[in-house]
């Protein structure tokens, strides 16, 4: 065997144990991050890992001559450098809120619940008849900002004569943060009631989209909150309660997930600190109020590109290569920890079906053809709410039904305004309650 080959074999034989030692220390560090819930910004896990590695290096080098005693410390140094990046913030740790929007003023309302929320108002913008009942939009997320695309849709409703209000739910967008343990689905429902009270214009019409649809469904099951609502539109809801959240079943027709180009732009998950934090939170190995990163830091770090294929899943497969930009980098805001916390409280909540059966608020359900939501999340609301007067199955659109493509916004507005004005529906009433089994079988 040539001398160079012999040297390579010897070098590899020495390198592999060192790499294994580095990998072992990194795994120990990640395990300690999970066990300590990221205590002291990860420093508790880092110091423990460094101490453990140092002790082992001393033990391995105890019988070596002085220069050779340093060799076992090399993996410790490398591992310490790698894991230290998880403990060092790379974005501000105090919340940096999105700048003001150029086309609508931002108000801040203090609600009776203690939440301070960002509010947007689009007064009627047409010279024709104005609708006397205020219109309130509950955005999806949960705990994110209202996208620029949604703002465009709200302005379209205002041009139809509606007095439109929207607020970013506590912790999202320009709204103030809450202590992590206060992010619950019940708090979101109480905030809705408090917002209507603060508006002080009597009953309101409410459109709840996605996560906002969950808030609205729970509100309809609460007689005290439902008494404040004139009409309710539940669009593409998430699971309405714990039993529904545990349902697995059919989804809509194929979405653009896996077909659309990979989102561009910076990602927090390319930074070790946030890749570890968000990854372990997603796996349930860190709590939403982990000490590894604070809520504000996590909000500052998270970017639209971090949503990955989630955005593509809101569009039909046929639209995979023309998905519009939903938001600007300056306006985008999402709180991953608070969102997980709210979702967990939905999963832990008892069934609202008995209360929902008592609902008397006129309601409409909107379902997308290419929905990425489990179909039973929507049909559960339909099955249990006797006050749902019509269901509108929206062909040719995904989860984000008003998306600026083709005439999708106009079609959504037509469906919404027809219901609010108690006019004939533009689309067939489908599915009805009796059609739920066939709908689940055929529309997938």
């Amino acid at each position: 065997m040539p001398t160079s080959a012999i040297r390579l074999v010897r070098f590899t034989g020495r390198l592999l144990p060192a790499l294994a030692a580095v990998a072992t220390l990194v795994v120990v560090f990640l395990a300690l991050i999970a066990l300590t819930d990221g205590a002291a910004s990860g420093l508790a896990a880092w110091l423990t890992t460094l101490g453990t590695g140092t002790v082992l290096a001393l033990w391995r080098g105890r019988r070596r001559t002085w220069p050779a005693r340093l060799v076992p410390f090399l993996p410790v140094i490398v591992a310490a450098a790698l894991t230290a990046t998880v403990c060092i913030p790379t974005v501000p740790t105090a919340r940096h809120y999105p700048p003001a929007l150029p086309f609508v003023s931002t108000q801040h309302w203090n609600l009776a619940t203690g939440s301070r929320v960002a509010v947007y108002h689009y007064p009627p913008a047409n010279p024709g008849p104005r609708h006397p009942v205020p219109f309130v939009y509950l955005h999806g997320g949960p705990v994110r900002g209202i996208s620029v695309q949604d703002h465009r849709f709200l302005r379209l409703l205002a041009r139809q004569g509606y007095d439109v209000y929207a607020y970013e739910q506590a912790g999202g967008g320009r709204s103030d943060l809450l202590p992590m343990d206060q992010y619950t689905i019940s708090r979101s429902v109480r905030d809705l009631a408090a917002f209507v009270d603060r508006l002080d214009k009597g009953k309101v019409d409410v459109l709840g989209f996605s996560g906002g649809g969950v808030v609205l469904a729970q509100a309809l099951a609460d007689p005290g909150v439902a008494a404040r609502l004139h009409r309710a539109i539940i669009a593409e809801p998430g699971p309405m309660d714990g039993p529904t959240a545990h349902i697995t079943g059919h989804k809509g027709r194929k979405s653009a997930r896996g077909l659309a180009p990979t989102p561009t732009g910076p990602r927090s998950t390319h930074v070790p600190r946030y890749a570890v934090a968000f990854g372990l939170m997603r796996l349930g190995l860190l709590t939403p109020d982990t000490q590894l990163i604070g809520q504000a830091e996590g909000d500052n770090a998270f970017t639209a590109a971090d949503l990955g294929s989630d955005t593509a899943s809101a569009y039909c497969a046929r639209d995979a290569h023309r998905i519009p930009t939903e938001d600007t980098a300056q306006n985008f805001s999402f709180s991953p920890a608070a969102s997980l916390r709210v979702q967990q409280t939905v999963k832990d909540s008892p069934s609202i079906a008995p209360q929902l059966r008592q609902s008397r608020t006129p309601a409409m359900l909107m379902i997308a053809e290419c929905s990425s939501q489990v179909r039973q999340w929507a049909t559960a609301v339909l099955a249990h709410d006797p006050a749902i007067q019509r269901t509108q199955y929206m062909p040719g659109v995904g989860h984000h039904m008003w998306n600026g493509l083709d005439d999708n916004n106009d079609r959504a507005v037509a469906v919404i305004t027809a219901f609010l004005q108690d006019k004939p529906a533009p689309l067939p009433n489908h599915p009805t309650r009796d059609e739920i089994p066939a709908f689940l079988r055929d529309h997938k």
Side-chain angles (χ1 to χ4, degrees), residues 160-197:
Q160 300 296 313
Y162 289 90
D163 193 18
V164 178
Y165 290 84
Y167 68 94
E168 287 170 320
Q169 295 163 41
R174 296 164 185 82
S175 293
D176 285 7
L177 307 182
L178 295 175
M180 190 59 67
D181 62 358
Q182 293 186 27
Y183 289 107
T184 64
I185 187 62
S186 60
R187 173 61 171 265
S188 299
V189 173
R190 294 197 304 274
D191 279 351
L192 171 60
F195 179 84
V196 177
D197 290 345

Side-chain angles (χ1 to χ4, degrees), residues 131-136 162-165 199 201-206:
H131 303 280
V133 180
F135 180 96
V136 176
Y162 289 90
D163 193 18
V164 178
Y165 290 84
L199 184 60
K201 292 190 176 184
K203 289 188 175 183
V204 299
D205 294 326
V206 181

Side-chain angles (χ1 to χ4, degrees), residues 35-379:
L35 289 172
T36 62
D37 201 28
S41 193
L43 286 174
W46 186 80
L47 290 172
T48 303
T49 303
L50 181 60
T52 301
T54 300
V55 169
L56 290 174
L58 288 170
W59 183 81
R60 289 182 60 198
R62 70 192 188 283
R63 294 180 180 175
R64 300 186 184 188
T65 59
W66 171 242
R69 289 183 182 181
L70 298 177
V71 174
F73 285 92
L74 292 178
V76 179
I77 294 170
V78 173
L82 290 173
T83 54
T85 60
V86 178
C87 305
I88 302 171
T90 59
V91 300
T93 56
R95 182 70 175 111
H96 279 200
Y97 293 95
L101 291 165
F103 48 80
V104 64
S105 62
T106 305
Q107 306 172 49
H108 283 92
W109 289 8
N110 294 313
L111 305 182
T113 56
S115 299
R116 186 170 185 266
V117 297
V119 180
Y120 309 94
H121 180 211
Y122 293 101
N126 72 337
R130 298 190 175 189
H131 303 280
V133 180
F135 180 96
V136 176
Y137 177 60
L138 289 177
H139 63 83
V143 197
R144 68 179 297 174
I146 298 175
S147 70
V148 169
Q149 192 175 95
D150 278 2
H151 278 289
R152 294 192 189 105
F153 181 68
L154 297 178
R155 283 186 284 178
L156 189 57
L157 284 166
R159 288 198 288 271
Q160 300 296 313
Y162 289 90
D163 193 18
V164 178
Y165 290 84
Y167 68 94
E168 287 170 320
Q169 295 163 41
R174 296 164 185 82
S175 293
D176 285 7
L177 307 182
L178 295 175
M180 190 59 67
D181 62 358
Q182 293 186 27
Y183 289 107
T184 64
I185 187 62
S186 60
R187 173 61 171 265
S188 299
V189 173
R190 294 197 304 274
D191 279 351
L192 171 60
F195 179 84
V196 177
D197 290 345
R198 174 68 171 74
L199 184 60
D200 195 25
K201 292 190 176 184
K203 289 188 175 183
V204 299
D205 294 326
V206 181
L207 166 62
F209 165 66
S210 192
V214 179
V215 176
L216 185 51
Q218 293 243 348
L220 292 173
D222 185 325
V225 182
R228 296 167 167 87
L229 309 182
H230 178 252
R231 284 180 173 249
I233 302 168
I234 300 174
E236 280 287 287
M240 68 180 188
D241 55 21
T244 310
H246 291 91
I247 292 175
T248 56
H250 305 304
K251 295 186 179 182
R253 295 201 169 101
K254 189 171 179 59
S255 76
R257 181 187 289 270
L259 302 174
T262 302
T264 58
R267 294 192 180 203
S268 68
T269 47
H270 290 168
V271 179
R273 177 173 176 82
Y274 307 112
V276 169
F278 296 145
L280 293 182
M281 269 193 272
R282 192 73 178 261
L283 294 171
L285 298 177
L286 285 180
T287 63
D289 56 349
T290 175
Q291 296 180 53
L292 180 57
I293 60 170
Q295 178 188 172
E297 183 188 350
D299 292 4
N300 293 337
F302 203 87
T303 69
D306 286 322
L307 292 174
S309 59
D310 284 355
T311 298
S313 70
Y315 292 82
C316 290
R318 66 178 74 94
D319 297 325
H321 294 282
R322 60 168 192 155
I323 293 176
T325 300
E326 294 198 341
D327 211 349
T328 63
Q330 294 76 24
N331 185 64
F332 177 82
S333 170
F334 183 76
S335 177
S339 180
L340 287 172
R341 165 76 181 167
V342 173
Q343 291 178 60
Q344 188 59 52
T345 65
V346 174
K347 293 177 182 178
D348 294 339
S349 67
S351 172
I352 64 169
Q355 294 81 12
L356 197 57
R357 292 190 190 103
Q358 307 304 314
S359 176
R360 296 296 178 266
T361 304
M364 178 177 74
L365 180 66
M366 297 176 70
I367 304 176
E369 177 185 3
C370 310
S371 177
S372 55
Q373 308 285 77
V374 174
R375 288 297 197 195
Q376 287 90 333
W377 293 350
T379 58

